[in-house]
């Protein structure tokens, strides 16, 4: 009986750990914690396209939208930068610093994830002008520059 209880406890802990590591759950939860307010809900579409230690998520809030490139560090997932359509291009992702394999894989996954999104939502994701850096190697995942986003 003790063996069965111990096995069940290990299985429960393993499933909790894997849920805590799932970028499809971790990234949206982190972004909502950072940016969502009662009067300004944060919608994430597509939820997440992930390749190695990089992810792209589309976001909409208060009539605005764009895409965020995230990087996984020893602190967890942090926003690397925000932009619009430029994040759909593997060449741009390589210029930002992603290895070619990761850039190509991430661009392909994003393309697949956005294939069934309605045109008005895609237009909003594309509407973000320019690029806003949120973290750099010196910040080591601390993030920054996002304080006024949800205001």
């Amino acid at each position: 009986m003790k063996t069965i209880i111990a096995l069940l406890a290990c299985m429960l802990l393993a499933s909790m750990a894997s849920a805590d590591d799932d970028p499809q759950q971790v990234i949206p939860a982190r972004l909502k914690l950072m940016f969502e307010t009662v009067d300004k809900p944060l919608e994430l579409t597509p939820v997440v396209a992930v390749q190695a230690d990089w992810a792209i998520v589309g976001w909409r809030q208060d009539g605005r939208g764009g895409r965020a490139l995230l990087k996984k560090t020893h602190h967890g997932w942090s926003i690397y930068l925000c932009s619009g359509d430029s994040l759909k291009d593997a060449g741009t992702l390589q210029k930002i610093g992603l290895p070619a394999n990761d850039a190509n894989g991430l661009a392909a996954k994003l393309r697949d994830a956005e294939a069934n999104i309605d045109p008005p939502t895609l237009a909003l994701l594309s509407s973000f002008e320019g690029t806003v850096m949120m973290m750099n190697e010196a910040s080591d995942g601390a993030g920054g520059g996002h304080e006024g986003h949800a205001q």
Side-chain angles (χ1 to χ4, degrees):
M1 186 65 157
K2 289 181 182 179
T3 303
I4 292 173
I5 293 172
L7 286 173
L8 289 173
C10 288
M11 288 173 54
L12 177 63
L13 287 173
S15 68
M16 287 172 47
S18 64
D20 287 345
D21 293 338
D22 180 7
Q24 299 294 332
Q25 295 177 14
V26 172
I27 291 172
R30 182 169 180 133
L31 293 178
K32 285 182 178 265
L33 182 65
M34 291 171 64
F35 298 114
E36 190 169 64
T37 63
V38 174
D39 61 329
K40 295 179 184 175
L42 179 65
E43 297 178 53
L44 303 168
T45 307
V47 175
V48 183
V50 180
Q51 176 73 33
D53 288 338
W54 297 94
I56 297 176
V57 60
W59 61 269
R60 295 178 290 153
Q61 185 178 42
D62 197 31
R64 293 176 284 177
R67 293 177 182 89
L69 175 67
L70 294 96
K71 181 176 170 107
K72 187 174 185 181
T73 69
H74 63 278
H75 295 293
W77 289 99
S78 297
I79 300 174
Y80 191 77
L81 61 83
C82 288
S83 193
D85 278 349
S86 65
L87 292 180
K88 294 168 45 174
D89 180 62
T92 299
L93 294 171
Q94 287 180 48
K95 288 178 187 174
I96 291 169
L98 277 72
N101 187 48
D102 291 343
N104 291 326
L106 191 55
K109 288 178 181 180
L110 182 63
R111 187 173 41 255
D112 291 346
E114 292 185 350
N116 296 316
I117 295 177
D118 61 272
T121 299
L122 281 176
L124 198 54
L125 299 180
S126 299
S127 69
F128 194 99
E129 294 183 15
T131 299
V132 176
M133 295 300 298
M134 303 295 276
M135 98 182 217
N136 57 39
E137 294 304 315
S139 69
D140 196 22
H146 62 270
E147 294 82 3
H149 170 76
Q151 295 179 359

